[in-house]
Amino acid sequence: MAGRAGEGPHPRHPDGDGWAAQLLDHLRPGARDPRRVVGWLAGAVPATVCLQAADGTLLAGERIPLDEGLVADVVAGRISSAAVQDGDRHLRLVAVNGPEPRPAAAGLLAVARATPFDRRAAEIVTHAAGMVELLLRERELTTAGDRLRRATADLRLAILQLLMVEDTVAARRVAAGLWPGLLDTDSASVYVVETHPAERDGLAEDCLDITRGQALVVRCPAIDSHVIVVSPAPTAGEWLRTLVDGRPGIFLGGSVRQSLGRTATAYGQAVSALAVAHFRPDQSAVYAERTHPERLMDPAALHTWSTAVLRPLDVLPHHTRAELLATTRLGLECTAVNAAKVLGVSRNTVRARMDRVEALLGADFSDLTVRATAHLALNTQAARTEDLVRAAPRASGVRLADLLASPALRAWAQDLLDRLTQDGRDLRGTLRAWIAAGGNAERAAQDLGMHAQTVREHVRGAEPVLERQLLAAGTDLYEVVLAHLVLGDLTAPVLHRANPGQPDSPVHR
């Protein structure tokens, strides 16, 4: 803060070109601060210096009592500067203009001292005022640029949130203003790039640059180490891989190409692939690179079964049904808190929507086998095609047990879980108990007679073996749960729901 003349040591009074060099020194990148210029001016003149905004707010220096009428004239632009004597004080007032050309000033620089202003002192004040004006303009332009970047980032997030709830029409409408043609497509891929949170802003800028305006790049609102990229460009994955190549601590997961209405599903796939990328030498993975259980089921039977499971939601208005399904799909992929951040709603809203789906389906989402089954049904419905709708029989007699009886599916499950036997610990037994306990390590430990920390270590140890993330809810975990169901290691869940025709009659699925 600037001091009064005679208060504490002041810098050597500059003369000749010395003061100009010192003033110009304030243009260095690390020294660009109007407060530093005000402090320098207080010692250079010497005087008491006050920098205030047009509304009188003190910006730097010390408050100086000033004539309100004179201040009003300078701020209003009627005069650009004034030199007055007020009793034993000599005052200089100089208008400080903002970045936009306008008659009114953005602020005022006032300098008061006991001795009259000679030519040298007056020249220093004038040049210092110009420097302060320059720095304030830079600050305001920087602030405006920051506001624009934040607004653009908020707009990108809003578009992503609309895609997450399948409102592609609104998403296209919002995107058209700033990124014409970006979403003029039926399908796109979703990528999640991970880095250290402190490096995320730089990585997001790199993603924007490398995708050449052909991607929606969003800083994930739920996980501060993730950048989400939605792009219709076929080469987007190749572009993003160049960011990962040879850079430790950066990982890339990508989805298969999905319709825009399935952005939430594609996001889940990208997160799942990201977990695999942590175990890959090239630090990247695509969801399509491994076999998934639903691909080994009869497509028409799977569609028929999922339609029957989700039929209780058909009584809802289309928009409400789509909103509940999209929220539940995302809520099954991550926590309610993170789902809320991604969707831009409160966590209570997410929980309320999922509770409503639970009630309609007669499901208990605290049971991992139920979550895995619901996840399969929801994603099957999201992926339905007109061909499947026409091919599926009208009867709803397909049961979960029928879907799980496929020989190919059994071979897949056996191959997956057999990997766990290569470890000397009983990872498979621990994992089965942990799933049966709803993912609760303490309950599983009681059933197994071991410490809860040991259960967690076993589950964590199974992740690289299975190349799947288990401790975080999502597609990876549900696939492993389905593998246990296929082999009969866990009991297939039974969903009870009220038959619309007979409210008290349970229907088993």
Side-chain angles (χ1 to χ4, degrees), residues 7-150:
E7 290 185 0
H10 289 298
R12 177 179 60 84
H13 288 184
D15 51 20
D17 291 336
W19 67 264
Q22 290 186 27
L23 183 57
L24 287 173
D25 193 53
H26 288 90
L27 288 177
R28 289 184 298 106
R32 294 178 181 176
D33 187 344
R35 293 171 299 181
R36 291 171 62 99
V37 177
V38 168
W40 173 85
L41 178 60
V45 178
T48 300
V49 182
C50 169
L51 175 64
Q52 65 183 50
D55 61 1
T57 302
L58 182 66
L59 300 178
E62 299 181 34
R63 180 72 69 183
I64 299 176
L66 299 171
D67 179 82
E68 292 183 1
L70 184 60
V71 169
D73 286 341
V74 175
V75 170
R78 288 186 284 272
I79 56 175
S80 61
S81 63
V84 297
Q85 183 174 359
D86 180 13
D88 57 354
R89 294 189 310 162
H90 295 269
L91 295 170
R92 286 281 173 134
L93 281 69
V94 183
V96 177
N97 296 315
E100 297 178 6
R102 53 194 174 194
L108 172 76
L109 182 69
V111 184
R113 69 181 201 163
T115 57
F117 287 83
D118 56 18
R119 180 175 178 179
R120 172 183 165 281
E123 189 175 1
I124 292 175
V125 170
T126 300
H127 282 80
M131 178 68 73
V132 168
E133 181 176 304
L134 180 65
L135 295 178
L136 286 177
R137 287 186 179 189
E138 180 190 44
R139 175 182 292 181
E140 189 168 336
L141 290 172
T142 300
T143 301
D146 290 342
R147 283 198 301 266
L148 179 60
R149 280 188 290 272
R150 285 196 298 271

Side-chain angles (χ1 to χ4, degrees), residues 47 85 114 132 223 233 268 334 381 414:
Q85 183 174 359
V132 168
I223 302 175
C334 54
Q381 284 293 289
Q414 193 70 58

Side-chain angles (χ1 to χ4, degrees), residues 150-168:
R150 285 196 298 271
T152 304
D154 290 344
L155 191 58
R156 291 193 186 100
L157 175 58
I159 295 168
L160 176 66
Q161 289 167 343
L162 288 169
L163 292 174
M164 286 289 194
V165 295
E166 304 180 19
D167 195 347
T168 56

